[in-house]
């Protein structure tokens, strides 16, 4: 499941969480729910189970497939009233404490941190919310790569250049790319969320759509507190559990966070050296190629087969150049060993040739609009251009319900898109392209109201 990415455009500054003067966890009163039997188990202690380091890094801020078995589902029986939710959450919390102890979380952390976790109904509301309309690529980029964000990023680059360049030298990821992710994830630290991470993840673990995933992330968050990297009250982030300046999930923090300032803690909330190094390390671990750029905007040749504009269709930039692809300014195409053509708005909009580093940015957030925003923001921060070609701003986005109708209509005509879910994915684009080809249209797989009307109402397709 894709977690809605927090796109921060406000300039309102949220106070930075204070750095704890000591890596030790601050004691709290004994939670009343902690029974005598559980205290005995805590005092007995359990063998620590080290957190696994994934061979391929998971997305920092986007939930992936569930990583743990939900062993406490009996405590999550749906309740209608607030009192029932509070009682159910307390019962779940008691049951989960045993699981946390078995996983090797320190008894005092289970007692003082998990024991004080609070039910957050707002987190459930946000988890269940789905936007009616998907944003068009140009609307997303207008906001994400605004003149204000570019200007703020250039200021941050100037303020922290030695720190950002040190991370770039260590991990081979350009300072502009790290700064762009910083800008995208928290508007350069002005807003990285005000939810207590343990509260948010405990709520999702009790009653969310990804309970097993949330339980695994909650255990990771408790382990971070055990390690002394952050005090529990300073562990703040988004409603979905992503934390700090560049929105690392707890499991990603454990695998990739770096203590770059040498204070003995990995602090992605209050230490810019730690933030820069941790972000660069994640990208390096995810496959960043220091000798390649992310890609470039390109001009496609006449007669280009738009069916091939998919991230899975890859060949070298030299091979694309032989087919007639050109940069917008006439310079040679960038050297890319494995490049694909991306048309975010179909054949009527700009085209880009993207390589391995673009796909690496997708590991941070699996959205082509997000990855393109990071790439273009980094390019602008480096003094380069924005998008040159015009976007088809006259096209209206389909609502989720309209996308479901499109999927159902394509399925009914034999152009398979999978189960209609209102989300435009590869299967839907493939089915739509087949339909476009059957009608003699440009097969770019981009949905429009005209196409929907042609499928559903019988109007001529365009």
């Amino acid at each position: 499941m894709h977690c809605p990415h927090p796109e921060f455009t406000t300039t309102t500054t949220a106070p930075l969480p204070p750095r704890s003067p000591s890596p030790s966890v601050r004691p709290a009163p004994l939670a009343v729910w902690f029974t005598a039997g559980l205290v005995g188990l805590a005092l007995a202690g359990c063998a620590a189970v080290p957190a696994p380091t994934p061979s391929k890094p998971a997305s920092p801020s986007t939930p992936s497939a569930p990583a743990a078995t939900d062993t406490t589902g009996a405590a999550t029986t749906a309740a209608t009233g607030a009192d029932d939710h509070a009682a159910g959450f307390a019962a779940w919390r008691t049951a989960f404490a045993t699981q946390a102890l078995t996983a090797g979380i320190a008894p005092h952390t289970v007692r003082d941190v998990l024991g004080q976790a609070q039910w957050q109904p707002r987190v459930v509301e946000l988890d269940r919310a789905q936007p009616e309309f998907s944003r068009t690529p140009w609307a997303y980029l207008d906001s994400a790569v605004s003149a204000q964000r570019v200007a703020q990023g250039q200021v941050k680059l100037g303020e922290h250049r030695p720190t950002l360049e040190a991370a770039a030298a260590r991990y081979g990821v350009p300072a502009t790319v790290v700064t762009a992710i910083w800008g995208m994830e928290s508007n350069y630290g002005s807003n990285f969320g005000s939810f207590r991470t343990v509260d948010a993840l405990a709520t999702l673990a009790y009653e969310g759509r990804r309970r097993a995933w949330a339980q695994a992330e909650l255990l990771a968050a408790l382990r971070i507190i055990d390690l002394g990297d952050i005090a529990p009250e300073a562990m703040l982030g988004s409603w979905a559990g992503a934390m700090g300046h560049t929105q690392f999930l707890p499991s990603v923090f454990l695998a990739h966070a770096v203590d770059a300032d040498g204070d003995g803690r990995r602090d992605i909330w209050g230490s810019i050296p730690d933030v820069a190094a941790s972000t660069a390390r994640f990208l390096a671990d995810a496959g960043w190629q220091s000798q390649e750029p992310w890609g470039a905007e390109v001009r496609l040749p006449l007669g280009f087969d738009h069916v091939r504009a998919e991230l899975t269709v890859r060949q070298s930039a030299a091979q694309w150049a032989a087919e007639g692809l050109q940069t917008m300014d006439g310079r040679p195409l960038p050297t890319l060993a494995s490049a694909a053509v991306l048309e975010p708005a179909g054949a009527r909009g700009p085209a880009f040739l993207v390589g391995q580093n673009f796909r690496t940015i997708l590991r941070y957030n699996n959205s082509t609009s997000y990855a393109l925003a990071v790439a273009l923001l980094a390019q602008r921060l480096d003094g380069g251009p924005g998008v040159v070609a015009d976007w088809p701003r006259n096209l209206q986005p389909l609502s989720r319900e309209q996308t479901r109708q499109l999927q159902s209509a394509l399925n009914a005509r034999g152009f398979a898109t999978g189960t209609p879910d209102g989300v435009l994915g590869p299967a839907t684009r493939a089915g739509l392209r087949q339909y476009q080809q059957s009608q003699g249209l440009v097969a770019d797989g981009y949905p429009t109201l005209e196409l929907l009307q042609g499928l559903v109402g019988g109007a001529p397709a365009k």
Side-chain angles (χ1 to χ4, degrees):
M1 179 271 176
H2 175 71
C3 172
H5 174 262
E7 184 188 351
F8 299 110
T9 56
T10 176
T11 57
T12 303
T13 301
L16 195 66
R19 300 188 70 188
S20 172
S22 168
S24 62
V25 179
R26 300 177 184 179
L30 180 66
V32 296
W33 60 273
F34 211 86
T35 65
L38 194 54
V39 171
L41 176 60
L43 293 176
C46 298
V49 179
T53 299
S55 58
K56 292 185 178 180
S59 165
S61 55
T62 305
S64 55
T69 301
D70 186 348
T71 60
T72 56
T76 62
T77 303
T80 55
D83 291 342
D84 290 335
H85 276 301
F89 180 74
W92 170 86
R93 190 176 54 187
T94 301
F96 189 73
T98 302
Q99 185 173 335
L101 289 166
T102 302
I105 304 302
H108 64 83
T109 301
V110 175
R111 182 188 65 235
D112 299 336
V113 180
L114 180 61
Q116 292 191 356
Q118 299 297 310
W119 161 256
Q120 297 291 338
R122 179 60 177 156
V123 167
V124 176
E125 292 174 10
L126 291 168
D127 184 52
R128 292 176 177 174
Q130 291 183 333
E132 181 182 357
F133 286 89
S134 299
R135 298 185 70 183
T136 60
W138 53 91
Y140 185 92
L141 292 172
D142 285 348
S143 175
V145 196
S146 65
Q148 181 183 35
R149 183 164 284 173
V150 172
Q152 288 177 327
Q154 289 170 336
V155 169
K156 293 297 182 182
L157 267 173
E159 289 178 352
H160 302 285
R161 187 169 297 278
T163 293
L164 291 162
E165 290 183 348
R170 183 174 179 181
Y171 295 106
V173 180
T176 51
V177 172
V178 173
T179 304
I181 287 178
W182 187 16
M184 286 292 297
E185 294 294 341
S186 69
N187 206 23
Y188 309 108
S190 67
N191 189 345
F192 49 68
S194 58
F195 287 94
R196 286 168 54 98
T197 299
V198 171
D199 287 353
L201 289 172
T203 297
L204 292 173
Y206 165 64
E207 186 182 87
R209 292 176 294 122
R210 304 173 311 281
R211 290 174 182 163
W213 166 85
Q215 288 178 26
E217 291 298 333
L218 177 57
L219 289 175
L222 295 172
R223 199 177 306 279
I224 292 167
I225 294 169
D226 263 358
L227 294 171
D229 285 303
I230 191 72
E233 65 270 18
M235 183 185 269
L236 301 177
S238 75
W239 64 266
M243 313 177 300
H245 282 261
T246 50
Q247 296 288 278
F248 272 20
L249 288 168
S251 61
V252 174
F253 179 101
L254 288 174
H256 306 286
V258 177
D259 173 22
D261 61 12
D263 69 350
R265 296 185 296 126
R266 298 171 294 176
D267 182 2
I268 61 170
W269 299 265
S271 169
I272 300 305
D274 291 5
V275 170
S278 298
T279 306
R281 182 189 172 186
F282 173 85
L283 292 171
D285 291 348
W288 189 271
Q289 301 296 307
S290 60
Q291 74 280 8
E292 288 189 0
W294 66 271
E297 186 179 358
V298 293
R299 184 176 291 109
L300 302 177
L302 292 176
F304 178 78
D305 183 3
H306 295 276
V307 171
R308 300 176 67 211
E310 275 288 344
L311 293 179
T312 54
V313 179
R314 304 172 189 173
Q315 60 187 25
S316 71
Q319 289 173 293
W320 286 115
E323 295 184 20
L325 271 72
Q326 300 177 338
T327 60
M328 302 303 286
D329 58 9
R331 296 180 183 180
L333 292 177
T335 301
L336 300 170
S338 178
V341 174
L342 174 69
E343 291 181 311
R348 286 177 268 195
F352 304 88
L353 189 67
V354 299
Q356 171 61 38
N357 289 340
F358 185 88
R359 296 191 292 273
T360 299
I361 298 171
L362 285 172
R363 297 295 299 274
Y364 213 99
N365 185 311
N366 192 26
S367 158
T368 55
S369 290
Y370 173 89
L372 188 58
V374 168
L376 291 170
L377 180 55
Q379 184 169 287
R380 292 288 306 279
L381 293 176
D382 204 29
V387 179
V388 176
D390 293 330
W391 293 100
R393 294 179 181 272
N394 59 310
L395 297 181
Q396 298 297 315
L398 299 186
S399 68
R400 292 184 68 92
E401 179 55 35
Q402 288 172 327
T403 302
R404 288 191 191 94
Q405 292 174 11
L406 179 75
Q407 293 166 327
S408 297
L410 288 169
N411 286 340
R413 294 199 181 197
F415 304 106
T417 66
T419 302
D421 59 3
V423 177
L424 182 68
T428 302
R429 289 197 302 273
L432 181 54
R433 282 189 170 119
Q434 292 171 10
Y435 168 72
Q436 289 171 319
Q437 287 175 320
S438 73
Q439 299 296 305
L441 305 172
V442 175
D444 61 1
Y446 189 80
T448 65
L449 286 174
E450 290 84 2
L451 281 170
L452 176 61
Q453 291 166 355
L455 278 161
V456 176
K462 297 181 182 179

